[in-house]
Amino acid sequence: MAFHEHRFSVAPMMDWSDRHCRAFHRLLSRRARLYTEMVTANAVIFGDRDRLIGFGEDEHPVAVQLGGSDPDALAQAAAICADRGYDEINLNVGCPSDRVQGGNFGACLMRDPELVAACVRAMKARVDIPVTVKCRIGVDDQDPEMALDRLADAVLAAGADALLVHARKAWLEGLSPKENRDIPPLDYDRVHRLKRRLPDVPVSINGGIGSLDEVEAQLRHVDGAMLGRAAYQQPELLLEVDARLFGEAPPHADAFAAVEAFEPYIGAHLAAGGRLHDVTRHMLGLFTGRPGARAYRRRLAMEGVRPEAGLAVLRAAVDEVRRAEERRSLVA
């Protein structure tokens, strides 16, 4: 696996990293690796595949994240996703929600490295694309030194191509999924130690990274870094990724140009019967920190949700920022 493609990724995020979000993020960076929301193996096998795992050709490189603990089902789902053209299969061993605990997948699998290894082995036998594992450093009362090494060694022996590590424990008892994103302390050093122990294994880090400065700092210790909420809530920072991390020109000169380039995609979605808010909900943070950003968000939040809302609403929202910046420049 060419892990330089993982040098920078946007993390899989439930309810956020859907195909509209990914299409928007791809306009901002050609090189960021994008991930789907987690989708269960059984949903892939028995559900509406176009809705659940459909993606556009412009999204590459794009990975699908699968959830499950049945090796046969995961192998079947992985084969379906590989046939669809995904660049990577990622197994979720980090999500702490009640739903995944009830289904015996996600973070609770940190307790059963051999089962995770069996899942990886089964998927590797069915697909030719990379199979990776995204995990925590441990769960509940586990010792992260032992828990992470045990999981890493097991899945690598089974053929896993890379490890993506959220540098927090997950507390399955006592904390909500939301609290699990913030309350357990970050331990970047633990992930750095894993990389030093496994110098030939691609290791990427996730969790609490909030800027490209922090990404660059992490890349001194590991092979790749993931942004999650920061990329979603401040997507304009993605316009800097290609230049800062890959030495390439950005896809668009600025956020205004990116929105204009996104209009044909949104227009096609509207023409197919979709709603504006399906797409623009992922764009609310685009102008964060700029004059007019609040008016932009307000207009999209209040007018963009109307069933009849069209591109004119988005254009009017963007104009709020343009006018505010013009007023500031006149004052200056």
Side-chain angles (χ1 to χ4, degrees), residues 9 26 36 41 59 68 76 97 110 116 128 145 147 191 214 234 247 249 260 263 290:
S9 304
R26 179 55 69 220
T36 70
E59 290 181 39
Q76 186 176 347
S97 77
M110 292 290 301
V116 181
D128 294 325
E145 294 300 323
V191 185
E214 293 174 45
Q234 303 174 59
E260 186 175 345
E263 285 195 7
R290 288 189 184 222

PDB file of all heavy atoms in Angstrom, residues 9 26 36 41 59 68 76 97 110 116 128 145 147 191 214 234 247 249 260 263 290:
ATOM      1  N   SER A   9      -6.013  12.548   5.967  1.00  0.00           N
ATOM      2  CA  SER A   9      -7.345  11.988   5.748  1.00  0.00           C
ATOM      3  C   SER A   9      -8.377  12.787   6.514  1.00  0.00           C
ATOM      4  O   SER A   9      -8.077  13.420   7.532  1.00  0.00           O
ATOM      5  CB  SER A   9      -7.401  10.527   6.227  1.00  0.00           C
ATOM      6  OG  SER A   9      -6.417   9.736   5.614  1.00  0.00           O
ATOM      7  N   ARG A  26     -13.986  16.955  -1.420  1.00  0.00           N
ATOM      8  CA  ARG A  26     -13.095  16.676  -2.537  1.00  0.00           C
ATOM      9  C   ARG A  26     -12.839  17.929  -3.373  1.00  0.00           C
ATOM     10  O   ARG A  26     -11.748  18.096  -3.950  1.00  0.00           O
ATOM     11  CB  ARG A  26     -13.694  15.565  -3.415  1.00  0.00           C
ATOM     12  CG  ARG A  26     -12.874  15.193  -4.634  1.00  0.00           C
ATOM     13  CD  ARG A  26     -11.436  14.808  -4.288  1.00  0.00           C
ATOM     14  NE  ARG A  26     -11.373  13.556  -3.579  1.00  0.00           N
ATOM     15  CZ  ARG A  26     -10.554  13.312  -2.555  1.00  0.00           C
ATOM     16  NH1 ARG A  26      -9.729  14.251  -2.118  1.00  0.00           N
ATOM     17  NH2 ARG A  26     -10.545  12.131  -1.961  1.00  0.00           N
ATOM     18  N   THR A  36     -16.161   7.012   4.224  1.00  0.00           N
ATOM     19  CA  THR A  36     -17.603   6.986   4.404  1.00  0.00           C
ATOM     20  C   THR A  36     -17.933   6.981   5.896  1.00  0.00           C
ATOM     21  O   THR A  36     -17.066   6.739   6.743  1.00  0.00           O
ATOM     22  CB  THR A  36     -18.235   5.734   3.792  1.00  0.00           C
ATOM     23  OG1 THR A  36     -17.854   4.574   4.569  1.00  0.00           O
ATOM     24  CG2 THR A  36     -17.802   5.539   2.344  1.00  0.00           C
ATOM     25  N   ALA A  41     -21.825  -4.459   7.965  1.00  0.00           N
ATOM     26  CA  ALA A  41     -21.687  -5.468   6.911  1.00  0.00           C
ATOM     27  C   ALA A  41     -23.053  -5.940   6.426  1.00  0.00           C
ATOM     28  O   ALA A  41     -23.287  -6.074   5.217  1.00  0.00           O
ATOM     29  CB  ALA A  41     -20.860  -6.643   7.433  1.00  0.00           C
ATOM     30  N   GLU A  59     -14.720  11.254  -6.128  1.00  0.00           N
ATOM     31  CA  GLU A  59     -14.355  11.181  -4.707  1.00  0.00           C
ATOM     32  C   GLU A  59     -13.000  10.513  -4.449  1.00  0.00           C
ATOM     33  O   GLU A  59     -12.454  10.638  -3.360  1.00  0.00           O
ATOM     34  CB  GLU A  59     -15.434  10.436  -3.910  1.00  0.00           C
ATOM     35  CG  GLU A  59     -16.736  11.198  -3.773  1.00  0.00           C
ATOM     36  CD  GLU A  59     -17.762  10.425  -2.952  1.00  0.00           C
ATOM     37  OE1 GLU A  59     -17.358   9.796  -1.954  1.00  0.00           O
ATOM     38  OE2 GLU A  59     -18.947  10.440  -3.304  1.00  0.00           O
ATOM     39  N   GLY A  68     -18.794  -4.515  12.070  1.00  0.00           N
ATOM     40  CA  GLY A  68     -19.264  -5.886  12.214  1.00  0.00           C
ATOM     41  C   GLY A  68     -18.237  -6.744  12.917  1.00  0.00           C
ATOM     42  O   GLY A  68     -17.115  -6.302  13.173  1.00  0.00           O
ATOM     43  N   GLN A  76     -17.954 -10.785   2.736  1.00  0.00           N
ATOM     44  CA  GLN A  76     -18.919 -10.576   1.660  1.00  0.00           C
ATOM     45  C   GLN A  76     -19.138  -9.083   1.412  1.00  0.00           C
ATOM     46  O   GLN A  76     -19.163  -8.625   0.263  1.00  0.00           O
ATOM     47  CB  GLN A  76     -20.249 -11.249   2.002  1.00  0.00           C
ATOM     48  CG  GLN A  76     -21.270 -11.195   0.873  1.00  0.00           C
ATOM     49  CD  GLN A  76     -22.550 -11.948   1.210  1.00  0.00           C
ATOM     50  OE1 GLN A  76     -22.601 -12.711   2.182  1.00  0.00           O
ATOM     51  NE2 GLN A  76     -23.583 -11.740   0.414  1.00  0.00           N
ATOM     52  N   SER A  97     -20.557   3.660  20.476  1.00  0.00           N
ATOM     53  CA  SER A  97     -21.990   3.879  20.674  1.00  0.00           C
ATOM     54  C   SER A  97     -22.681   2.631  21.218  1.00  0.00           C
ATOM     55  O   SER A  97     -22.201   1.504  21.070  1.00  0.00           O
ATOM     56  CB  SER A  97     -22.653   4.295  19.362  1.00  0.00           C
ATOM     57  OG  SER A  97     -22.850   3.190  18.515  1.00  0.00           O
ATOM     58  N   MET A 110     -11.990  -4.229  20.838  1.00  0.00           N
ATOM     59  CA  MET A 110     -10.640  -4.111  21.393  1.00  0.00           C
ATOM     60  C   MET A 110     -10.371  -5.230  22.389  1.00  0.00           C
ATOM     61  O   MET A 110      -9.219  -5.605  22.627  1.00  0.00           O
ATOM     62  CB  MET A 110     -10.463  -2.760  22.092  1.00  0.00           C
ATOM     63  CG  MET A 110     -10.463  -1.540  21.187  1.00  0.00           C
ATOM     64  SD  MET A 110      -9.007  -1.369  20.123  1.00  0.00           S
ATOM     65  CE  MET A 110      -7.665  -1.295  21.293  1.00  0.00           C
ATOM     66  N   VAL A 116     -10.983  -9.875  15.767  1.00  0.00           N
ATOM     67  CA  VAL A 116     -10.694  -8.819  14.796  1.00  0.00           C
ATOM     68  C   VAL A 116      -9.738  -9.345  13.730  1.00  0.00           C
ATOM     69  O   VAL A 116      -9.906  -9.098  12.526  1.00  0.00           O
ATOM     70  CB  VAL A 116     -10.103  -7.578  15.485  1.00  0.00           C
ATOM     71  CG1 VAL A 116      -9.825  -6.484  14.454  1.00  0.00           C
ATOM     72  CG2 VAL A 116     -11.055  -7.043  16.552  1.00  0.00           C
ATOM     73  N   ASP A 128      -8.618  -7.441  -3.208  1.00  0.00           N
ATOM     74  CA  ASP A 128      -7.245  -7.114  -3.557  1.00  0.00           C
ATOM     75  C   ASP A 128      -6.849  -5.712  -3.111  1.00  0.00           C
ATOM     76  O   ASP A 128      -5.671  -5.348  -3.202  1.00  0.00           O
ATOM     77  CB  ASP A 128      -7.050  -7.218  -5.076  1.00  0.00           C
ATOM     78  CG  ASP A 128      -7.203  -8.646  -5.580  1.00  0.00           C
ATOM     79  OD1 ASP A 128      -6.809  -9.569  -4.846  1.00  0.00           O
ATOM     80  OD2 ASP A 128      -7.727  -8.825  -6.692  1.00  0.00           O
ATOM     81  N   GLU A 145      -0.986   0.157  26.969  1.00  0.00           N
ATOM     82  CA  GLU A 145       0.291  -0.397  26.494  1.00  0.00           C
ATOM     83  C   GLU A 145       0.102  -1.815  25.984  1.00  0.00           C
ATOM     84  O   GLU A 145       0.605  -2.186  24.921  1.00  0.00           O
ATOM     85  CB  GLU A 145       1.331  -0.371  27.608  1.00  0.00           C
ATOM     86  CG  GLU A 145       1.744   1.016  28.056  1.00  0.00           C
ATOM     87  CD  GLU A 145       2.348   1.848  26.929  1.00  0.00           C
ATOM     88  OE1 GLU A 145       3.070   1.282  26.086  1.00  0.00           O
ATOM     89  OE2 GLU A 145       2.087   3.061  26.909  1.00  0.00           O
ATOM     90  N   ALA A 147      -3.085  -3.369  25.475  1.00  0.00           N
ATOM     91  CA  ALA A 147      -4.254  -3.538  24.607  1.00  0.00           C
ATOM     92  C   ALA A 147      -3.948  -3.163  23.165  1.00  0.00           C
ATOM     93  O   ALA A 147      -4.315  -3.887  22.229  1.00  0.00           O
ATOM     94  CB  ALA A 147      -5.416  -2.704  25.148  1.00  0.00           C
ATOM     95  N   VAL A 191       0.534   6.432  20.669  1.00  0.00           N
ATOM     96  CA  VAL A 191       0.519   6.098  19.243  1.00  0.00           C
ATOM     97  C   VAL A 191       1.915   6.254  18.653  1.00  0.00           C
ATOM     98  O   VAL A 191       2.348   5.453  17.821  1.00  0.00           O
ATOM     99  CB  VAL A 191      -0.500   6.974  18.493  1.00  0.00           C
ATOM    100  CG1 VAL A 191      -0.602   6.549  17.027  1.00  0.00           C
ATOM    101  CG2 VAL A 191      -1.876   6.894  19.159  1.00  0.00           C
ATOM    102  N   GLU A 214      -1.012  21.316  13.635  1.00  0.00           N
ATOM    103  CA  GLU A 214      -0.971  20.119  14.470  1.00  0.00           C
ATOM    104  C   GLU A 214      -0.771  18.869  13.621  1.00  0.00           C
ATOM    105  O   GLU A 214      -0.094  17.921  14.035  1.00  0.00           O
ATOM    106  CB  GLU A 214      -2.257  20.008  15.286  1.00  0.00           C
ATOM    107  CG  GLU A 214      -2.409  21.096  16.334  1.00  0.00           C
ATOM    108  CD  GLU A 214      -3.765  21.038  17.023  1.00  0.00           C
ATOM    109  OE1 GLU A 214      -4.200  19.929  17.398  1.00  0.00           O
ATOM    110  OE2 GLU A 214      -4.396  22.104  17.187  1.00  0.00           O
ATOM    111  N   GLN A 234     -14.778  23.444  10.037  1.00  0.00           N
ATOM    112  CA  GLN A 234     -14.035  24.531   9.397  1.00  0.00           C
ATOM    113  C   GLN A 234     -13.467  24.039   8.067  1.00  0.00           C
ATOM    114  O   GLN A 234     -12.247  23.984   7.877  1.00  0.00           O
ATOM    115  CB  GLN A 234     -12.906  25.009  10.302  1.00  0.00           C
ATOM    116  CG  GLN A 234     -13.340  25.480  11.679  1.00  0.00           C
ATOM    117  CD  GLN A 234     -12.139  25.795  12.550  1.00  0.00           C
ATOM    118  OE1 GLN A 234     -11.310  26.641  12.222  1.00  0.00           O
ATOM    119  NE2 GLN A 234     -12.024  25.093  13.662  1.00  0.00           N
ATOM    120  N   GLY A 247       2.637  19.741  -1.558  1.00  0.00           N
ATOM    121  CA  GLY A 247       3.382  20.589  -2.473  1.00  0.00           C
ATOM    122  C   GLY A 247       2.695  20.807  -3.803  1.00  0.00           C
ATOM    123  O   GLY A 247       3.361  21.007  -4.832  1.00  0.00           O
ATOM    124  N   ALA A 249      -0.763  22.667  -6.024  1.00  0.00           N
ATOM    125  CA  ALA A 249      -1.692  23.788  -6.012  1.00  0.00           C
ATOM    126  C   ALA A 249      -3.067  23.328  -5.518  1.00  0.00           C
ATOM    127  O   ALA A 249      -3.479  22.197  -5.779  1.00  0.00           O
ATOM    128  CB  ALA A 249      -1.823  24.383  -7.412  1.00  0.00           C
ATOM    129  N   GLU A 260     -18.793  28.006  -6.032  1.00  0.00           N
ATOM    130  CA  GLU A 260     -19.258  28.132  -7.418  1.00  0.00           C
ATOM    131  C   GLU A 260     -19.052  26.826  -8.183  1.00  0.00           C
ATOM    132  O   GLU A 260     -19.912  26.392  -8.954  1.00  0.00           O
ATOM    133  CB  GLU A 260     -18.521  29.279  -8.105  1.00  0.00           C
ATOM    134  CG  GLU A 260     -19.037  29.594  -9.499  1.00  0.00           C
ATOM    135  CD  GLU A 260     -18.374  30.815 -10.111  1.00  0.00           C
ATOM    136  OE1 GLU A 260     -17.732  31.578  -9.354  1.00  0.00           O
ATOM    137  OE2 GLU A 260     -18.500  30.994 -11.336  1.00  0.00           O
ATOM    138  N   GLU A 263     -21.742  24.180  -7.475  1.00  0.00           N
ATOM    139  CA  GLU A 263     -23.129  24.416  -7.884  1.00  0.00           C
ATOM    140  C   GLU A 263     -23.679  23.350  -8.836  1.00  0.00           C
ATOM    141  O   GLU A 263     -24.827  22.925  -8.681  1.00  0.00           O
ATOM    142  CB  GLU A 263     -23.276  25.817  -8.477  1.00  0.00           C
ATOM    143  CG  GLU A 263     -23.264  26.913  -7.435  1.00  0.00           C
ATOM    144  CD  GLU A 263     -23.758  28.246  -7.987  1.00  0.00           C
ATOM    145  OE1 GLU A 263     -24.240  28.270  -9.146  1.00  0.00           O
ATOM    146  OE2 GLU A 263     -23.685  29.252  -7.259  1.00  0.00           O
ATOM    147  N   ARG A 290     -14.766  34.486   9.269  1.00  0.00           N
ATOM    148  CA  ARG A 290     -14.803  35.600   8.328  1.00  0.00           C
ATOM    149  C   ARG A 290     -15.952  36.552   8.674  1.00  0.00           C
ATOM    150  O   ARG A 290     -16.962  36.134   9.254  1.00  0.00           O
ATOM    151  CB  ARG A 290     -15.019  35.101   6.897  1.00  0.00           C
ATOM    152  CG  ARG A 290     -13.853  34.389   6.258  1.00  0.00           C
ATOM    153  CD  ARG A 290     -14.183  34.192   4.800  1.00  0.00           C
ATOM    154  NE  ARG A 290     -13.197  33.428   4.074  1.00  0.00           N
ATOM    155  CZ  ARG A 290     -12.792  33.745   2.848  1.00  0.00           C
ATOM    156  NH1 ARG A 290     -13.263  34.830   2.251  1.00  0.00           N
ATOM    157  NH2 ARG A 290     -11.918  32.993   2.222  1.00  0.00           N
TER     158      ARG A 290
END
